[in-house]
């Protein structure tokens, strides 16, 4: 009898320990479906993001009438006519990350479509660290093209799970982060290859396809050049508004300074809306 009681106790403890080891189910956050950016009384951009039934970006619609559809074929994603000068942008995926981006334009001399910019991305694990760039342009009045390659067009430095520095040539932008505020999994902010971090590209959902996000939300950024020919500096401060697990608002204050100009101060107000 004692033997059976002992076995029953062991089985009960085993079931309890298995239950303790089960990871809690974390509900999936709704996807970002609308981004609005205003500067004072002017709306700078107003974008709707639409998704397919399986959660991929289907299109981006802007209130200025521009519609940008996404086409999926195998490992390739094509953004059709994202800009008036661009015929399409193609992204090549490897698993869950973008490894190549090709910008295709129309040749003004013969109307053929050619690849003007090709980026190849390098990752350390799932963290984007650099990108090379091959540029190509048509010869004016002649057939054929010229090209040039830049082995490290973009470089990203990570510290404590956050991108703290982006460099391109002699320009740099440094970011500082909150020690407590974490980036929600559905919020697609990232350090973009730009020294003007207030545009839509900084919040486009396609950013979620570039591997790891920065772990924490940014608090400030400073942009400057190491070249003696350019003494323009810019600083940015970030103030987020959260509702539950969601970031619903953001204020970015920008100050641009140089020795020969009065400092320019701008405030950008963002609204983020999610699917239900």
């Amino acid at each position: 009898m004692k033997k059976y009681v002992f076995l029953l106790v062991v089985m009960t403890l085993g079931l309890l320990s298995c239950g303790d080891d089960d990871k809690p189910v974390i509900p999936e956050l709704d996807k970002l479906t609308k981004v609005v950016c205003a500067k004072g009384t002017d709306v700078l951009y107003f974008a709707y993001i639409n998704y397919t039934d399986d959660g991929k970006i289907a299109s981006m619609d802007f209130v200025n009438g521009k519609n940008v559809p996404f086409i999926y074929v195998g490992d390739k994603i094509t953004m059709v006519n994202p800009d008036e000068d661009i015929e399409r942008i193609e992204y090549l995926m490897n698993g869950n990350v973008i490894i190549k981006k090709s910008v295709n334009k129309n040749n003004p001399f013969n109307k053929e479509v050619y690849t003007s910019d090709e980026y190849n991305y390098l990752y350390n694990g799932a963290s984007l660290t650099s990108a090379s760039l091959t540029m190509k342009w048509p010869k004016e009045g002649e057939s054929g093209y010229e090209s040039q390659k830049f082995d490290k067009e973009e470089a990203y430095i990570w510290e404590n799970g956050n991108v703290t520095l982006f460099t391109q040539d002699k320009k740099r932008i440094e970011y500082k982060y909150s020690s407590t505020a974490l980036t929600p999994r559905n919020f697609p902010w990232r350090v973009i290859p730009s020294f003007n971090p207030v545009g839509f590209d900084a919040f486009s959902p396609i950013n979620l396809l570039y591997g790891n996000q920065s772990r924490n939300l940014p608090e400030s950024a400073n942009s400057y050049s190491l070249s003696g020919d350019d003494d323009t500096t810019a600083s940015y401060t970030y103030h987020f508004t959260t509702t539950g697990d969601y970031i619903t608002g953001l204020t970015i204050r920008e100050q641009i300074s140089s020795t020969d100009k009065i400092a320019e101060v701008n405030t950008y107000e963002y609204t983020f809306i999610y699917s239900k």
Side-chain angles (χ1 to χ4, degrees):
M1 182 68 180
K2 291 181 179 180
K3 177 180 178 182
Y4 293 116
V5 171
F6 174 76
L7 290 175
L8 181 61
V9 171
V10 170
M11 291 174 64
T12 302
L13 290 175
L15 289 172
L16 289 174
S17 64
C18 287
D20 291 340
D21 290 340
D22 289 342
K23 294 182 179 180
V25 176
I26 300 175
E28 187 72 21
L29 293 175
D30 293 330
K31 293 182 179 296
L32 181 65
T33 53
K34 187 186 299 184
V35 180
V36 183
C37 176
K39 180 182 175 183
T41 58
D42 297 327
V43 175
L44 299 185
Y45 54 84
F46 193 137
Y48 293 93
I49 301 102
N50 307 299
Y51 297 88
T52 63
D53 291 339
D54 57 354
K56 297 176 181 178
I57 302 171
S59 66
M60 295 183 187
D61 302 327
F62 297 83
V63 292
N64 62 5
K66 182 172 69 174
N67 172 266
V68 181
F70 285 65
I71 299 171
Y72 298 83
V73 178
D75 294 329
K76 184 182 290 186
I77 305 171
T78 301
M79 262 176 92
V80 182
N81 301 123
D83 186 271
E84 62 181 14
D85 296 325
I86 297 173
E87 174 64 24
R88 63 181 181 270
I89 295 177
E90 296 175 343
Y91 299 93
L92 183 63
M93 303 289 297
N94 182 8
N96 295 321
V97 299
I98 294 170
I99 58 171
K100 181 179 291 188
K101 171 184 171 182
S102 301
V103 179
N104 298 278
K105 296 181 178 180
N106 289 307
N107 186 327
F109 303 111
N110 58 20
K111 303 302 181 183
E112 73 177 3
V113 177
Y114 72 101
T115 300
S116 63
D117 303 271
E118 184 177 272
Y119 296 85
N120 286 278
Y121 298 100
L122 294 178
Y123 294 82
N124 181 6
S127 299
L128 177 62
T129 56
S130 65
S132 64
L133 168 63
T134 300
M135 296 181 65
K136 188 164 70 173
W137 59 94
K139 296 179 180 179
E140 188 171 356
E142 303 179 36
S143 61
Y145 298 87
E146 296 183 85
S147 66
Q148 186 172 358
K149 183 174 182 180
F150 304 88
D151 288 327
K152 212 164 189 180
E153 172 68 6
E154 303 172 13
Y156 303 86
I157 301 298
W158 291 73
E159 294 180 11
N160 300 319
N162 297 307
V163 181
T164 56
L165 176 66
F166 167 70
T167 63
Q168 189 176 53
D169 195 17
K170 294 183 179 180
K171 296 200 70 175
R172 300 161 65 92
I173 184 166
E174 299 177 353
Y175 288 83
K176 293 184 178 179
Y177 293 82
S178 166
S179 60
T180 57
L182 299 177
T183 305
R185 299 183 310 281
N186 66 338
F187 188 63
W189 179 85
R190 82 174 183 101
V191 174
I192 56 172
S194 169
F195 302 96
N196 180 33
V198 298
F200 176 71
D201 285 350
F203 307 97
S204 169
I206 203 164
N207 291 337
L208 297 176
L209 301 179
Y210 282 97
N212 289 337
Q213 297 171 267
S214 287
R215 182 181 62 188
N216 298 88
L217 291 172
E219 288 186 334
S220 64
N222 290 282
S223 173
Y224 57 94
S225 175
L226 297 178
S227 170
D229 300 328
D230 184 4
D231 68 346
T232 301
T233 61
S235 63
Y236 303 86
T237 56
Y238 296 76
H239 298 282
F240 292 91
T241 301
T242 59
T243 302
D245 294 329
Y246 295 86
I247 292 176
T248 54
L250 167 63
T251 300
I252 298 181
R253 185 178 182 273
E254 172 189 63
Q255 180 170 320
I256 303 173
S257 305
S258 64
T259 56
D260 59 346
K261 294 181 181 179
I262 298 174
E264 177 185 344
V265 178
N266 301 300
T267 301
Y268 302 87
E269 299 284 350
Y270 299 82
T271 302
F272 305 100
I273 296 176
Y274 302 82
S275 60
K276 297 297 182 184

